[in-house]
């Protein structure tokens, strides 16, 4: 009898523990979703909104809309339905990209394919998310044009402050009359790590294209193992962007037309000025509402912030140029630097950069030097240099280019 009297309190206690844990799990999911979306918007170039939100202990749902801060070229909306458990939450939903101001649906209107559905699982204790998205094959025909896409798979995951994405796309073929472009398979690996409010962030991207082929009656090009790597980092002092393009080989007439790699770095873009610029840009766009200023009007409004970006003397370092063209008998190996002079910025006007005289004033702020090693004879001949020239010293002084101490001759005669 005594044991039977203990059953009711034990059951009630377990039920209470389960209810509290269930409620905590739903709260944690909601908190992490809100924080992640807020930090995505804090990056600066996107507008993120949640609509039709319903919150509950056992389940919740809603719709997230992501759009560029400027323009209406696209929007990305996705629905989510979350089923909360004590240890994990299962999520699923539908992805609905739209194009243009009329918000034409990419899947269903522009492409004869259903909107892809996504699935994910959120671990309550670890705060980690892992999910996937499948892209169905489709064929689009418009007159003599045809686009044949063979599908793909996207996986994503991570936790607050550290997210990753991997995409694997099967080959696609675009045909326009007698011309054909084939690309793929292709893969993308991306990782984005950030502090709260995206005050600091680092983004790594790796895009690999295994094959690229162009066909038309008088030309056939075949590229393989095309690779692009990039790293963007914002810290206390500057924004740094590193990029590297690696070309396995490009064939023409069964000969190697091009192979090699190029790497460059953009640095010394003032970090605090960038944060201020993005904040002011958002304020101006939100203040205008539907009557968004034109790009020229925005540039004029943000002229001080745009100039402040240049205060630390931005520079481009071409760290590696290593290209070969056995077919043409040309090699290009070298490195160099180009630096912007930020003194007397009040003499420059960003909003008038379409004026040739203003462009000349900006060019006069550029200084740098580049070296081309092992110069082919044909290049020396083209530049009017002695045929035994084996190295080019390219100097940029106040926007004027000199090659081996001589003014750069006209390249097209």
């Amino acid at each position: 009898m005594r044991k039977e009297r203990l059953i009711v309190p034990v059951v009630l206690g377990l039920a209470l523990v389960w209810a509290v844990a269930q409620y905590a799990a739903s709260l944690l999911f909601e908190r992490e979703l809100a924080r992640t979306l807020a930090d995505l918007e804090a990056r600066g170039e996107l507008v993120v909104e949640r609509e039709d939100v319903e919150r509950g202990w056992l389940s919740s749902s809603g719709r997230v809309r992501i759009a560029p801060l400027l323009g209406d070229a696209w929007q990305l909306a996705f629905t989510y339905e979350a089923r909360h458990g004590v240890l994990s939450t299962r999520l699923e939903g539908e992805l609905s990209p739209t194009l243009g101001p009329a918000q034409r649906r990419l899947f269903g209107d522009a492409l004869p394919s259903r909107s892809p559905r996504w699935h994910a699982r959120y671990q309550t204790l670890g705060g980690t998310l892992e999910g996937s998205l499948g892209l169905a094959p489709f064929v689009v025909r418009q007159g003599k044009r045809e686009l044949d896409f063979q599908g793909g798979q996207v996986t994503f995951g991570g936790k607050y402050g550290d997210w990753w994405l991997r995409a694997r796309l099967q080959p696609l073929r675009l045909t326009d009359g007698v011309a054909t472009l084939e690309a793929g398979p292709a893969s993308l690996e991306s990782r984005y790590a950030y502090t709260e409010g995206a005050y600091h962030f680092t983004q790594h991207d790796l895009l690999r294209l295994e094959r690229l082929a162009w066909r038309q009656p008088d030309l056939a090009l075949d590229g393989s193992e095309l690779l692009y790597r990039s790293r963007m980092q914002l810290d206390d002092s500057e924004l740094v962007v590193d990029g590297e393009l690696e070309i396995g080989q490009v064939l023409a007439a069964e000969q190697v037309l091009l192979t090699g790699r190029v790497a460059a770095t953009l640095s010394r873009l003032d970090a605090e000025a960038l944060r201020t610029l993005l904040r002011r840009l958002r304020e101006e766009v939100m203040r205008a509402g539907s009557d968004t200023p034109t790009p020229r009007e925005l540039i004029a409004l943000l002229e001080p912030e745009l100039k402040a970006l240049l205060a630390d003397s931005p520079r481009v370092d071409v760290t590696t140029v290593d290209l070969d063209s056995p077919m043409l008998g040309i090699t290009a190996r070298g490195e160099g630097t180009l630096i912007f002079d930020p003194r007397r910025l009040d003499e420059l006007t960003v909003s008038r950069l379409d004026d040739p005289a203003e462009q000349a004033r900006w060019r006069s702020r550029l200084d740098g030097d580049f070296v081309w090693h092992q110069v082919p004879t044909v290049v020396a001949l083209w530049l009017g240099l002695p045929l035994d020239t084996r190295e080019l010293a390219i100097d940029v002084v106040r926007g004027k280019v000199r090659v081996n101490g001589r003014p750069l001759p006209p390249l097209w005669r």
Side-chain angles (χ1 to χ4, degrees):
M1 201 63 184
R2 183 176 300 172
K3 291 182 180 180
E4 293 176 356
R5 288 198 299 268
L6 290 175
I7 290 175
V8 173
V10 169
V11 170
L12 290 176
L14 291 174
L16 180 61
V17 170
W18 174 85
V20 171
Q22 184 72 31
Y23 179 63
S26 64
L27 284 181
L28 286 173
F29 168 79
E30 174 62 30
R31 186 194 70 175
E32 293 305 305
L33 178 60
R35 290 172 68 195
T36 299
L37 294 179
D39 284 339
L40 179 62
E41 187 173 58
R43 172 79 176 258
E45 65 266 35
L46 299 174
V47 176
V48 182
E49 297 178 350
R50 267 207 293 173
E51 306 166 338
D52 305 325
V53 178
E54 294 186 7
R55 302 179 179 90
W57 284 24
L58 300 177
S59 65
S60 56
S61 61
R63 182 173 183 268
V64 177
R65 186 180 67 86
I66 302 173
L69 181 62
L70 293 176
D72 49 16
W74 60 271
Q75 286 190 17
L76 176 63
F78 65 89
T79 59
Y80 68 89
E81 296 177 3
R83 294 177 177 85
H84 304 297
V86 173
L87 298 179
S88 67
T89 294
R90 289 178 298 161
L91 297 108
E92 62 179 20
E94 189 173 86
L95 197 69
S96 303
T98 58
L99 304 173
Q103 297 188 24
R104 186 179 181 222
R105 294 181 305 165
L106 177 61
F107 299 101
D109 291 340
L111 301 175
S113 178
R114 295 176 57 186
S115 296
R117 293 194 63 81
W118 63 277
H119 305 268
R121 182 177 291 272
Y122 173 73
Q123 301 294 335
T124 304
L125 296 180
T128 60
L129 176 79
E130 287 194 14
S132 64
L133 168 71
L135 301 174
F138 60 80
V139 178
V140 180
R141 294 184 179 90
Q142 187 180 50
K144 295 183 178 181
R145 296 177 180 175
E146 179 182 283
L147 175 62
D148 182 357
F149 175 61
Q150 298 181 27
Q153 186 74 18
V154 179
T155 57
F156 56 89
K159 59 183 179 180
Y160 178 78
D162 190 359
W163 297 99
W164 57 264
L165 178 144
R166 301 186 185 100
R168 174 72 176 178
L169 304 180
Q170 297 304 315
L172 64 83
R173 183 176 67 251
L174 175 62
T175 304
D176 187 358
V178 296
T180 302
L181 174 67
E182 297 183 14
S187 62
L188 171 67
E189 298 181 15
S190 183
R191 185 168 183 177
Y192 177 51
Y194 59 92
T195 60
E196 186 175 359
Y199 189 80
H200 297 159
F201 68 79
T202 302
Q203 180 170 335
H204 294 268
D205 296 292
L206 172 61
L207 176 63
R208 181 192 301 271
L209 188 59
E210 296 181 19
R211 181 173 180 268
L212 182 67
W214 173 263
R215 294 287 186 275
Q216 64 184 57
D218 56 348
L219 179 64
L221 295 174
D222 288 280
S224 61
E225 289 302 316
L226 307 177
L227 221 68
Y228 177 71
R229 299 182 182 88
S230 70
R231 181 182 69 93
M232 181 185 300
Q233 181 173 343
L234 179 68
D235 58 22
D236 284 331
S237 60
E238 64 179 332
L239 174 70
V240 178
V241 182
D242 293 307
E244 179 183 356
L245 176 63
E246 187 173 327
I247 303 170
Q249 62 179 15
V250 177
L251 300 178
E254 299 183 353
Q255 297 186 59
V256 178
L257 175 64
L258 185 64
T259 184
R261 59 188 286 263
V262 177
T265 299
L266 171 64
S267 60
R268 294 186 186 175
L269 290 173
D270 187 87
E272 196 55 42
L274 177 62
R275 298 183 185 101
T276 302
L277 172 63
L278 292 173
R279 184 172 61 251
R280 286 272 290 112
L281 177 60
R282 181 174 296 275
E283 290 171 357
E284 293 295 339
V285 171
M286 294 305 180
R287 183 182 298 119
S290 59
D291 188 20
T292 306
T294 65
R296 191 182 187 91
E297 291 171 338
L298 275 174
I299 289 173
L301 288 169
L302 301 174
E303 180 103 17
E305 288 79 9
L306 289 167
K307 289 182 180 179
L309 275 178
L310 311 174
D312 292 338
S313 189
R315 60 184 288 160
V316 175
D317 290 284
V318 181
T319 54
T320 303
V321 175
D322 187 1
L323 299 172
D324 283 291
S325 177
M327 181 179 180
L328 301 178
I330 294 177
T331 63
R333 291 183 174 84
E335 62 281 327
T337 300
L338 191 65
I339 301 175
F340 179 81
D341 181 356
R343 292 174 294 181
R344 303 183 306 279
L345 283 173
D346 58 301
E347 297 176 359
L348 303 175
T349 307
V350 182
S351 58
R352 294 180 54 201
L353 267 172
D354 55 348
D355 176 38
E358 186 66 25
Q359 293 172 12
R361 279 190 283 272
W362 282 81
R363 282 196 302 269
S364 70
R365 299 303 187 94
L366 298 178
D367 296 281
D369 58 85
F370 298 84
V371 178
W372 185 346
H373 308 287
Q374 303 175 23
V375 177
T377 302
V378 65
V379 174
L381 179 64
W382 186 31
L383 295 174
L385 297 172
L387 296 183
D388 61 352
T389 300
R390 289 295 172 263
E391 185 171 278
L392 291 186
I394 305 169
D395 297 306
V396 181
V397 181
R398 296 185 60 81
K400 304 294 184 181
V401 181
R402 299 181 68 86
V403 180
N404 286 11
R406 304 179 181 182
L408 179 67
L411 299 180
W412 310 107
R413 298 168 184 167

